[in-house]
Amino acid sequence: MSELDPGLGAAIAAMAATARQRVFSLDYAGRRYWVKRPGLPRLRSSVFMQRCIALAFGLAMLKPPRDGALKSEAVALRHLAANGWPVPALVAEEPRWLVLGDGGASVETLLNQEPDAGRRRAIIEACAELLLRLHRQGEWHGGAQIRNFSWRDGKPGLLDLEDHDLPGMTLAQRQARDLLLFLYSLTRYDKDASAPLLPAVAKRLVQASDNSTRAEIARLHRRIGPIIRLAKPFAAKAGRDVRQGLAAEAALAAALD
């Protein structure tokens, strides 16, 4: 990471004064940059419920991550880049923002634009394999939803590592959390009943994970079983978060058998 070019800094400051989005991009000197500002506290009811369930059932992996973790993302980017992982370049780190290089197209955008189901599935499976390779090297993402993967030159990369800092969790818990989040985020793309996506991806992720990560997934399944049984009758009328959570947990549970 080098000192921020004064012209780029001025361009960022000008855009930040009017940009409504917390994360925005700009082009400067023939390159695209992304600027991230600190986030606001997560006050959604689903976050509060997640925190309560994590405490009540002793499941650290379900605890919501810290808010506004730009410092955490900068640390993660430096570490992962130094070890050869495909992450955006950290151009500058300031209290007001992070400036990142362009990491490629958003996988979520690609999936939403891609009409071919087979192509969508291949992109998702490539992201799953990248996550498994990350885990095999003793690493984790922290926010492994499909929206936090990129695509460049036919290969996936890692984006948005703000949730990487997960204090109080073991490596196995962090990796099990990655698997749960990844599957949770795929439910909207699992529309083909003739070739369901979630069971196949879950089976691959679980079987390729190490014993300690599988043990954490099994522990999650045992402990929240009562909540799952209570929630199922109301799933059709429940919010999207609940439906996605039930689908992801069911896919992981089936993959354990």
Side-chain angles (χ1 to χ4, degrees):
M1 182 175 63
S2 58
E3 186 175 347
L4 186 63
D5 178 276
L8 176 58
I12 291 172
M15 285 199 68
T18 58
R20 294 186 178 184
Q21 297 86 359
R22 185 175 74 87
V23 181
F24 60 89
S25 66
L26 76 160
D27 294 324
Y28 178 81
R31 295 180 61 188
R32 171 155 291 189
Y33 297 90
W34 290 86
V35 181
K36 304 187 74 169
R37 295 182 283 193
L40 296 174
R42 296 163 176 156
L43 300 176
R44 299 193 309 272
S45 59
S46 59
V47 173
F48 175 74
M49 183 181 298
Q50 184 180 341
R51 184 176 289 111
C52 291
I53 291 173
L55 290 172
F57 290 86
L59 291 166
M61 62 178 279
L62 292 184
K63 289 193 299 184
R66 294 173 174 176
D67 293 308
L70 293 188
K71 180 66 175 179
S72 170
E73 178 160 20
V75 171
L77 285 169
R78 282 194 291 266
H79 170 74
L80 292 172
N83 287 279
W85 294 101
V87 296
L90 179 57
V91 177
E93 177 187 0
E94 299 185 4
R96 296 172 295 172
W97 51 56
L98 291 183
V99 183
L100 309 178
D102 187 39
S106 162
V107 162
E108 186 174 50
T109 299
L110 287 181
L111 294 175
N112 290 336
Q113 295 176 347
E114 175 58 60
D116 182 72
R119 177 62 179 157
R120 291 196 301 271
R121 190 181 187 110
I123 292 171
I124 289 170
E125 289 174 345
C127 292
E129 291 302 318
L130 173 59
L131 187 60
L132 285 172
R133 292 198 302 273
L134 190 71
H135 287 182
R136 290 190 195 106
Q137 295 301 315
E139 304 286 358
W140 68 96
H141 189 300
Q145 298 97 323
I146 196 67
R147 68 172 182 266
N148 292 336
F149 287 78
S150 63
W151 195 261
R152 171 177 279 176
D153 299 328
K155 297 179 180 179
L158 307 170
L159 289 178
D160 294 329
L161 292 143
E162 291 180 27
D163 295 345
H164 188 264
D165 184 24
L166 297 170
M169 295 188 200
T170 65
L171 175 61
Q173 289 168 341
R174 292 169 180 174
Q175 293 185 346
R177 184 178 188 275
D178 272 355
L179 302 191
L180 180 62
L181 287 175
F182 189 77
L183 291 169
Y184 171 90
S185 69
L186 296 184
T187 54
R188 62 185 297 184
Y189 303 105
D190 195 16
K191 306 297 184 184
D192 186 357
S194 64
L197 175 68
L198 242 61
V201 176
K203 184 175 181 179
R204 171 62 182 156
L205 290 173
V206 170
Q207 291 186 350
S209 295
D210 64 24
N211 291 336
S212 58
T213 301
R214 288 196 296 272
E216 284 298 329
I217 294 169
R219 181 168 173 262
L220 168 71
H221 180 61
R222 289 194 305 270
R223 292 204 172 187
I224 66 171
I227 294 179
I228 298 296
R229 289 190 290 272
L230 286 173
K232 278 184 178 179
F234 307 100
K237 296 182 179 180
R240 187 179 65 181
D241 286 347
V242 174
R243 294 195 299 273
Q244 287 182 278
L246 288 173
E249 200 281 332
L252 282 173
L256 288 169
D257 293 338

